Amino acid sequence: MNITEPARTLPVRAEVDVLVVGGGPSGIIAAQAAAEDGLKVMLLESRSFVGGNMTIGLPILGFLGQKGNQIIKGLPQKFIDRLAARDAASEHRYCPLHMGITLVEPEAVKTVGLEMLTQSGVDVLLYVFCAGVVMDGDTLRGIIIESKAGREVILAKVIVDCTGDADVAYRAGVPCEQGNEQGGMQPPTLMFCLGGVDTEKLRMSIAEEPRTYLTDFIPNEYFGQNNQFIVVGLRSLMQKAREDGFKLPVERTILITGLREGEIWVNMTRVSGVDGTDPVSLSHGEIEAREQIEQIQKYLIKYVPGFENARFTKMAPFLGIRETRRIVGEYTMTRDDILSCRRFDDAIAVASYPLDIHHPQGGDCTLEWCGDCYDIPFRSLVPQKVKNLLVAGRCISTTHEAMSAIRVMAPCMAMGEAAGRAAKMAVHDGIAPSDIDVQKLRKELLEHDAYLRPAEEAVV
């Protein structure tokens, strides 16, 4: 059955130069970049806080390349610097599996994110959803928002979709793809935190008994040298637990030390088949993931060294979604682009994170490294068929496999900076963002300490 909603006239809440939709890693940086020259910039966020996946207990991955060099700088680094000044971020630590990990304190991310946005002059509007779009032919003119105040409109000269799910692009009519060839998407995780963990006992048990506590790809020497670390593996312990009757949703134990003593974030819940764009599916995922936590916690306490006195302390405020929609843009990044360390003459960011596919079914994961780093082209941020719109974050134009590499937070922050600066340039020049001079954008990025590989070496 369908219901026809009567037509109605909507009030315009605001008119701005640049509107950023989504306050996650890419959105925070995009809004700051767009506001640098005094433009009127607004950021919309559906939750009561900004930070997105930086607030759910995950480390930020991707600041370092596979050769140990820092490849994400500029505004993303300034954000980390501000956190570090509050003792709420670690240095960028090399990791044999994830290249670089940067630990952050989730609650501090929320506070620092809002501080940096408001100090940049960004008008932050929380508790609002993107419920629709205002189109003029093929040009996006504004966003229809929904909140406790009802439905309203925000008009903008340029809009940047940083929702992670391509919500704006999809509603505007941009062609989108979702999942692999069968529609399967990487499953989400509900992070949770345990306190009272003897992290030194855990660390040294792996360092001194690697055959007993085997980790995936990470040599035991790493644990002997790092007081804060990430554990991926312990498959033999999980196998023993399963033989003893435990039901565990993943094949690997994934643990991340927090910044506070005795704190461990656990990345082990998995709910296959969840569609992050469907509220019914999301609700099922949230319920099932919460049910999985009890078994995971019991497994850790019984089998993993250092967890004997562990206690549950907190849970992420929402499911960590790895994959939903991806736009079809002017260029679609592929698996070969990642593994061949592809260079682009319109590169606006450099990334190095491997292809990292959490299988849609089965609970395991596949990783492939390129050996160095690869470019992200501006064309992949520019959607087809809709003008006045840019996209930044995991929902840029990629294949399912390429998305598994560029989806982590540091590259998303770098894309946000590029999209924000491009939006600002488009407003200043009175042109569509797709028509900006990309070499001018690259020059501005470099002038603000972003990292790009030399343009003269580009081959595509």
Side-chain angles (χ1 to χ4, degrees):
M1 181 175 69
N2 296 315
I3 301 294
T4 299
E5 183 179 13
R8 50 182 164 168
T9 301
L10 302 180
V12 175
R13 172 174 282 274
E15 295 186 49
V16 299
D17 294 313
V18 177
L19 177 64
V20 178
V21 185
S26 62
I28 289 175
I29 304 300
Q32 289 181 62
E36 271 188 356
D37 294 345
L39 292 182
K40 190 174 183 181
V41 177
M42 178 178 280
L43 180 141
L44 306 181
E45 170 54 51
S46 61
R47 299 184 175 95
S48 64
F49 54 88
V50 298
N53 281 345
M54 286 190 285
T55 70
I56 67 174
L58 290 168
I60 298 178
L61 305 179
F63 271 98
L64 301 183
Q66 292 177 35
K67 293 185 175 181
N69 57 318
Q70 185 170 346
I71 57 170
I72 305 290
K73 298 182 180 180
L75 286 178
Q77 181 59 50
K78 287 182 172 58
F79 188 82
I80 298 301
D81 291 342
R82 182 75 74 94
L83 286 170
R86 294 184 177 222
D87 195 28
S90 71
E91 70 274 16
H92 307 309
R93 296 195 173 123
Y94 177 73
C95 173
L97 181 60
H98 301 96
M99 307 309 99
I101 63 172
T102 309
L103 305 178
V104 294
E105 177 59 42
E107 293 304 318
V109 165
K110 300 174 185 178
T111 300
V112 170
L114 283 173
E115 283 181 357
M116 295 186 75
L117 287 165
T118 55
Q119 289 169 9
S120 297
V122 176
D123 186 2
V124 179
L125 187 60
L126 305 173
Y127 300 103
V128 296
F129 285 88
C130 171
V133 294
V134 178
M135 300 295 296
D136 181 4
D138 60 357
T139 300
L140 178 62
R141 294 300 184 194
I143 301 296
I144 299 172
I145 60 172
E146 184 90 45
S147 71
K148 289 184 180 293
R151 290 169 74 87
E152 301 170 294
V153 172
I154 299 174
L155 299 176
K157 296 174 182 175
V158 177
I159 296 167
V160 185
D161 185 342
C162 294
T163 62
D165 303 313
D167 289 340
V168 177
Y170 176 76
R171 285 168 173 75
V174 175
C176 292
E177 298 175 343
Q178 197 161 336
N180 58 19
E181 292 179 355
Q182 292 75 42
M185 289 174 286
Q186 298 191 59
T189 290
L190 183 62
M191 299 286 293
F192 67 97
C193 185
L194 299 177
V197 180
D198 187 343
T199 56
E200 280 298 288
K201 182 176 181 180
L202 171 63
R203 180 174 76 92
M204 296 313 297
S205 67
I206 297 171
E208 295 174 357
E209 301 179 64
R211 287 176 294 180
T212 303
Y213 305 113
L214 188 64
T215 56
D216 289 12
F217 303 104
I218 304 177
N220 63 304
E221 292 84 359
Y222 168 82
F223 296 95
Q225 300 165 359
N226 292 275
N227 293 317
Q228 294 172 323
F229 51 87
I230 184 168
V231 175
V232 180
L234 309 187
R235 293 174 185 256
S236 59
L237 298 185
M238 298 186 74
Q239 180 59 36
K240 179 171 174 45
R242 286 194 173 93
E243 292 170 357
D244 292 344
F246 279 76
K247 294 181 180 179
L248 300 171
V250 289
E251 297 299 319
R252 307 181 299 170
T253 301
I254 305 179
L255 309 169
I256 305 134
T257 56
L259 288 174
R260 308 296 169 243
E261 185 176 354
E263 187 176 80
I264 288 279
W265 284 93
V266 182
N267 182 349
M268 291 181 64
T269 64
R270 293 289 188 282
V271 187
S272 297
V274 171
D275 181 350
T277 66
D278 177 0
V280 173
S281 185
L282 280 169
S283 299
H284 162 72
E286 186 82 29
I287 293 167
E288 184 171 331
R290 287 174 179 265
E291 292 174 349
Q292 293 173 0
I293 288 175
E294 182 178 2
Q295 279 277 295
I296 295 168
Q297 183 176 349
K298 288 180 177 178
Y299 150 71
L300 293 170
I301 291 172
K302 184 172 181 179
Y303 295 93
V304 180
F307 282 83
E308 294 82 0
N309 298 310
R311 64 186 184 278
F312 182 90
T313 59
K314 51 194 168 185
M315 188 182 301
F318 55 87
L319 279 170
I321 302 296
R322 291 186 173 88
E323 177 179 14
T324 55
R325 305 184 190 102
R326 310 181 307 274
I327 67 162
V328 178
E330 292 186 353
Y331 182 85
T332 299
M333 290 186 69
T334 67
R335 165 195 175 91
D336 287 342
D337 291 336
I338 306 297
L339 294 181
S340 66
C341 302
R342 186 68 54 83
R343 296 175 182 267
F344 294 93
D345 58 7
D346 64 337
I348 46 76
V350 178
S352 188
Y353 194 71
L355 297 171
D356 179 7
I357 299 179
H358 294 249
H359 297 169
Q361 301 292 332
D364 211 346
C365 180
T366 301
L367 294 105
E368 293 182 77
W369 295 264
C370 67
D372 195 354
C373 52
Y374 47 87
D375 291 344
I376 297 175
F378 180 69
R379 286 168 289 167
S380 293
L381 280 60
V382 180
Q384 292 185 7
K385 296 189 176 181
V386 173
K387 297 178 181 178
N388 210 39
L389 175 66
L390 289 171
V391 176
R394 69 169 183 249
C395 53
I396 66 166
S397 184
T398 66
T399 63
H400 165 74
E401 290 182 307
M403 193 282 304
S404 74
I406 60 89
R407 65 183 170 85
V408 294
M409 287 186 273
C412 288
M413 295 169 85
M415 287 183 252
E417 178 166 7
R421 295 193 184 284
K424 179 182 64 174
M425 290 172 58
V427 171
H428 281 313
D429 294 343
I431 59 176
S434 57
D435 294 332
I436 67 161
D437 182 342
V438 179
Q439 296 310 313
K440 183 179 175 183
L441 171 61
R442 285 168 51 84
K443 183 175 183 290
E444 179 170 325
L445 285 165
L446 290 169
E447 288 172 348
H448 286 82
D449 299 322
Y451 176 82
L452 296 173
R453 296 191 288 183
E456 60 268 17
E457 298 181 22
V459 295
V460 175

